[in-house]
Amino acid sequence: MRKFYTLLAVVCAFLYASTASAGIKNLMVQDFESTTDPAALGWKSQNLAGGMSIAGDQYGNYFQFSLGSNNGRSCYNIWGSDIYNGQLENGVYHLELEWNYAQGSNNQYGTQLAIISDDAPAVHNGNYVAKEGSQWLFALTELDADRNFYVNDQQDQTFILTPGTWLKIKMDINVNDRTVAYTVADVQETVVYAEGVRTVPEGVNMLATGINQYNARYYSIVQMDNIKVQVISDYDIANPPSVALTGVNGIERTYTITFLEEEELYIIGTDGQEHSEFYMDCDGKYVYTTSTSGTLKAWTMSGSATSEVVTTEVECVPIVLPAVDAVISKVESGYAKTYTLNVSNADVPTQPTIFIEYSFVNENGVEEVKGSDKFSGEKVAVSSKGTLTVTTVAPGFTSNTITVVNDKEYVIDALIDFQHQTAESLTEKGFQAMDPLDSSTTSGENNWTARQRMYYEIATGEVDEEGKPTYTKYVVYGPSEAGYEPIQRYRYLQSNLNEETAHSLFAPLYTWYGTTGVSPRAYYEEDGVTPLVDPQGAPGGTTNLQIKLGIGLVFSGQVNDEESYNPNSLSYSPILINYVTMGVDGLTDDNFIMVNKIDDYGSSAVHPQFPAGTDPEAAKAEYKAMDLGGLVEIYKGTETFQLYRVQTSVTSVTVFKLSPNGVEEVNTDAIVSDHNAPIYNLNGIQVNPNNLQRGVYIKQGKKFIVR
């Protein structure tokens, strides 16, 4: 792993090649031990602030940038050039950090770490080094999907980096010679991946002012730790030590205190006793353990210099783990439900790995389900009336147990089946036939056929080299030129949606209309003055509902009924609207809405497997009859939900109400969903329900989120 193996023990060669009286001064240090908020340390992101966090393990805290299901995004930290004022006695300084490509992207590549030298850079979501006029000193860039990386502009000199490998990246920057001598090694510095000297072009600032981290899409995770900018001085320097809580065992606390080789560490423990430690006795990382609450003080001395005193308040009491949040993530008729067990270690000192233990006992006292050593996100399916008991466990911490009583029986009250709509039923509702989707070219909506992701498999009866069964893939919906079925499409013009049709088209489902999620950008005719409208006079930015036969309801995301747009007014494409909002009328918080979706042009569709010998046509008929929505979302009856543009479809919406057998349990004071009710923002100001931007809103006293 990273960190305290070589935290401050190894500094660049130029620092230790000087005289014994010289001192090493930290101009900037970020070890992420003092806060859990990246913003407090100056970290920012243009479009994904929520992807930044300070995580931790048994070695301490580190910075993490997690992309999730987003396109490529950047985060950055600008410490500025002021830290160098009057500090560069010989024009040389040292920069180092520990960096981990913890999880590779799964769709694109190009993740990049860049050391930049601009106090006010034009940060953007992409390759910083490739940006014209960019000021940079060092870059580590992912070249391809095989995790080949290269340093600076040397794409012909690559090395393979396995995700999860912590690197130590070190630079000696000579401002006068305009050179950057660098090494990229594993964190123990036993394996060198790349080393060399870059001569920086004239016109580029030689003072490192910050970091720009770009993550390629999707789900890539990058971590950083121990970022330091240092100089060597001819006079004595004593740097404040780093004090990190690294162990919890009941009331016992363990701190690791790190300091530089030229320094001597002094400590006053929580018991009031003072003692000192030499670097050679502990390799610069002294471990202090106590079971006594109090104040821990630490400082360093080097020659005639004494550092500031680092003060840490220590509280030696048992720490109770957070309880699991058991969220219903699936509902079925009867008592059957699936609970997703979520727990976070973000607010727990040392961020231990939290294990989950659970047991479900039915009303007859029989244990039906149990599990241990599980992690957050574990799904527990129960089928009967009973009690679910869940405990969080981590060594050294006090466990926390909750119980969930599963005593509500549900029945299906309504099923809106979008996937199996027919051409006849849609025509009766006022939908209009469109040209079939029959493209083999990957572009926007065409991906539904071009990607060929709507398929089933039949076992071959054979096994591979690892002894696993092999299957033959049978694509159902795809381009006809490849022998597959094109997708038949029907659309309902936005201009036909009004308050009445929005509620009645697929009652009791309410289909929102208007400009939900539209960018505030204005749309105009070619004269640049006349607002762009559809044939019924609806403003530009409205959109159409669409049914893809065999797939489901799709939100077209187009500008207007003609699906045309003014290229002089729009920035890049007609797909401008991200979300349409839906809900179910007349429900209460005691009810549930289950939404089955297919995301990413078919990636999350159900891909059933049939046994060897199954007739392909029989398998196709069974495939078409089942619900292909592999992505399941659960909402309370009064909540609304969103459908993302052309890449996502809703296959079905199922409404569950309490069984008549449990009618006495109904909350008679529950709010009934009314989608005409006013909506307010968090400041209490009523807002336009047809133009909700991303954020949190309040309706009928309940909060809901537009993502």
Side-chain angles (χ1 to χ4, degrees):
M1 200 65 183
R2 61 164 226 302
K3 210 163 179 178
F4 292 114
Y5 289 116
T6 57
L7 180 61
L8 291 170
V10 181
V11 184
C12 59
F14 86 92
L15 291 175
Y16 291 133
S18 58
T19 63
S21 62
I24 301 165
K25 184 173 184 179
N26 291 325
L27 302 184
M28 191 282 300
V29 175
Q30 288 190 15
D31 61 10
F32 307 103
E33 303 298 343
S34 61
T35 180
T36 59
D37 180 14
L41 298 173
W43 284 91
K44 299 178 181 179
S45 176
Q46 284 182 309
N47 303 100
L48 195 60
M52 300 186 303
S53 64
I54 293 179
D57 55 24
Q58 67 268 36
Y59 302 107
N61 293 344
Y62 50 81
F63 173 80
Q64 178 168 286
F65 187 51
S66 181
L67 196 64
S69 58
N70 294 281
N71 287 319
R73 294 286 185 264
S74 291
C75 66
Y76 54 96
N77 184 284
I78 308 299
W79 53 75
S81 58
D82 288 347
I83 66 171
Y84 303 96
N85 290 345
Q87 305 295 329
L88 301 184
E89 298 178 10
N90 55 6
V92 179
Y93 66 98
H94 177 72
L95 189 153
E96 68 176 65
L97 74 155
E98 292 163 4
W99 188 87
N100 178 27
Y101 195 14
Q103 182 170 295
S105 58
N106 67 2
N107 182 267
Q108 292 185 353
Y109 52 86
T111 290
Q112 181 186 81
L113 167 75
I115 304 300
I116 60 181
S117 56
D118 188 343
D119 279 315
V123 181
H124 68 134
N125 294 319
N127 186 317
Y128 183 89
V129 171
K131 183 177 175 64
E132 184 178 355
S134 61
Q135 300 269 309
W136 62 279
L137 300 177
F138 173 89
L140 176 64
T141 308
E142 183 184 33
L143 179 65
D144 53 36
D146 294 327
R147 311 304 178 205
N148 281 297
F149 279 76
Y150 64 92
V151 172
N152 300 331
D153 53 359
Q154 300 171 315
Q155 296 190 29
D156 59 338
Q157 301 178 33
T158 64
F159 58 90
I160 295 176
L161 185 59
T162 303
T165 302
W166 277 91
L167 300 179
K168 169 83 80 171
I169 302 172
K170 299 164 61 175
M171 283 157 269
D172 297 339
I173 298 98
N174 190 311
V175 175
N176 300 324
D177 294 345
R178 303 193 62 79
T179 58
V180 178
Y182 61 85
T183 60
V184 179
D186 66 325
V187 75
Q188 294 89 355
E189 300 187 76
T190 57
V191 177
V192 176
Y193 294 97
E195 59 184 342
V197 178
R198 176 183 182 233
T199 300
V200 181
E202 293 290 337
V204 176
N205 178 22
M206 290 300 297
L207 301 178
T209 59
I211 290 175
N212 187 79
Q213 173 62 54
Y214 171 73
N215 281 24
R217 76 175 190 188
Y218 297 105
Y219 299 105
S220 58
I221 300 174
V222 164
Q223 298 164 348
M224 295 184 217
D225 202 2
N226 296 317
I227 306 169
K228 298 192 291 290
V229 179
Q230 301 171 318
V231 294
I232 189 170
S233 175
D234 291 334
Y235 54 87
D236 294 331
I237 296 290
N239 296 278
S242 173
V243 181
L245 176 65
T246 54
V248 174
N249 186 14
I251 65 170
E252 185 180 85
R253 300 291 181 268
T254 297
Y255 290 84
T256 300
I257 306 173
T258 57
F259 57 105
L260 295 180
E261 186 169 358
E262 299 297 320
E263 300 166 344
E264 183 178 0
L265 176 68
Y266 288 82
I267 298 167
I268 298 178
T270 56
D271 57 1
Q273 299 298 310
E274 179 178 342
H275 66 282
S276 62
E277 294 291 334
F278 291 102
Y279 183 94
M280 295 299 294
D281 292 335
C282 59
D283 199 25
K285 45 184 183 295
Y286 174 69
V287 177
Y288 173 78
T289 300
T290 181
S291 298
T292 303
S293 298
T295 301
L296 171 63
K297 297 180 179 180
W299 67 96
T300 66
M301 294 185 66
S302 178
S304 61
T306 301
S307 76
E308 299 175 6
V309 177
V310 177
T311 301
T312 304
E313 297 301 325
V314 180
E315 188 177 14
C316 294
V317 296
I319 297 177
V320 180
L321 292 171
V324 156
D325 183 17
V327 179
I328 295 176
S329 53
K330 187 177 181 181
V331 179
E332 300 177 54
S333 295
Y335 292 100
K337 300 178 189 69
T338 297
Y339 292 89
T340 298
L341 309 180
N342 298 314
V343 64
S344 172
N345 67 356
D347 296 326
V348 183
T350 72
Q351 282 76 52
T353 299
I354 299 179
F355 298 96
I356 296 174
E357 298 177 352
Y358 62 84
S359 172
F360 179 76
V361 178
N362 66 24
E363 61 181 334
N364 297 318
V366 177
E367 184 178 62
E368 294 184 356
V369 181
K370 68 179 301 183
S372 60
D373 295 333
K374 305 299 182 180
F375 301 99
S376 183
E378 175 75 5
K379 297 183 183 298
V380 181
V382 301
S383 59
S384 58
K385 189 175 182 179
T387 300
L388 176 65
T389 302
V390 188
T391 301
T392 49
V393 179
F397 294 83
T398 301
S399 298
N400 198 337
T401 300
I402 65 164
T403 58
V404 179
V405 179
N406 186 58
D407 61 351
K408 288 184 170 62
E409 182 180 11
Y410 284 87
V411 295
I412 295 177
D413 183 70
L415 172 61
I416 302 96
D417 187 350
F418 292 111
Q419 181 186 324
H420 300 105
Q421 295 287 320
T422 64
E424 294 75 17
S425 66
L426 292 173
T427 301
E428 290 178 3
K429 290 179 179 293
F431 279 76
Q432 299 177 357
M434 302 173 64
D435 293 336
L437 195 59
D438 193 19
S439 175
S440 58
T441 302
T442 57
S443 173
E445 186 180 7
N446 293 329
N447 281 292
W448 280 106
T449 51
R451 296 292 185 185
Q452 301 178 25
R453 290 168 171 166
M454 307 299 293
Y455 64 87
Y456 60 91
E457 296 179 318
I458 298 178
T460 63
E462 300 177 352
V463 297
D464 59 18
E465 295 179 354
E466 298 179 356
K468 297 179 181 179
T470 60
Y471 292 85
T472 300
K473 177 180 176 180
Y474 291 85
V475 175
V476 177
Y477 300 110
S480 58
E481 67 180 37
Y484 309 127
E485 294 182 34
I487 299 173
Q488 304 300 318
R489 301 180 294 169
Y490 286 77
R491 70 176 179 180
Y492 191 86
L493 295 182
Q494 167 68 34
S495 50
N496 291 332
L497 274 177
N498 53 43
E499 284 289 346
E500 179 182 354
T501 55
H503 287 272
S504 63
L505 195 60
F506 293 104
L509 183 75
Y510 175 85
T511 305
W512 208 271
Y513 70 99
T515 56
T516 301
V518 177
S519 164
R521 185 188 303 123
Y523 310 112
Y524 302 97
E525 299 288 359
E526 291 185 2
D527 60 12
V529 177
T530 306
L532 186 68
V533 297
D534 68 19
Q536 305 300 320
T542 57
T543 187
N544 302 317
L545 299 176
Q546 183 189 124
I547 297 285
K548 288 179 166 56
L549 297 190
I551 294 176
L553 175 68
V554 174
F555 171 48
S556 71
Q558 303 293 340
V559 175
N560 56 20
D561 287 344
E562 285 80 20
E563 298 181 359
S564 63
Y565 67 104
N566 179 359
N568 296 322
S569 300
L570 309 180
S571 60
Y572 60 94
S573 84
I575 303 175
L576 298 169
I577 308 170
N578 286 337
Y579 297 93
V580 65
T581 303
M582 297 182 287
V584 177
D585 290 320
L587 300 185
T588 73
D589 281 347
D590 291 311
N591 308 138
F592 285 101
I593 306 168
M594 184 170 73
V595 182
N596 284 65
K597 291 182 178 180
I598 299 175
D599 193 14
D600 192 23
Y601 306 106
S603 286
S604 62
V606 172
H607 305 299
Q609 294 179 330
F610 297 93
T614 302
D615 177 65
E617 290 302 313
K620 181 190 290 187
E622 188 172 342
Y623 170 87
K624 289 186 173 183
M626 64 178 59
D627 192 322
L628 301 177
L631 181 63
V632 180
E633 299 173 352
I634 290 288
Y635 301 92
K636 289 184 178 180
T638 54
E639 292 180 324
T640 56
F641 53 93
Q642 284 75 46
L643 173 59
Y644 191 57
R645 57 191 189 193
V646 295
Q647 73 181 51
T648 307
S649 77
V650 172
T651 60
S652 65
V653 176
T654 309
V655 178
F656 291 90
K657 287 188 176 180
L658 284 171
S659 165
N661 297 329
V663 70
E664 70 278 4
E665 300 179 38
V666 174
N667 179 7
T668 56
D669 295 324
I671 295 174
V672 178
S673 59
D674 174 8
H675 298 287
N676 294 317
I679 296 175
Y680 301 89
N681 61 25
L682 293 181
N683 294 322
I685 300 173
Q686 186 171 344
V687 296
N688 181 358
N690 296 328
N691 192 22
L692 298 179
Q693 304 302 311
R694 294 187 182 188
V696 180
Y697 299 92
I698 300 172
K699 178 194 271 189
Q700 295 182 291
K702 299 288 186 179
K703 291 182 181 179
F704 68 96
I705 299 175
V706 175
R707 294 184 172 87

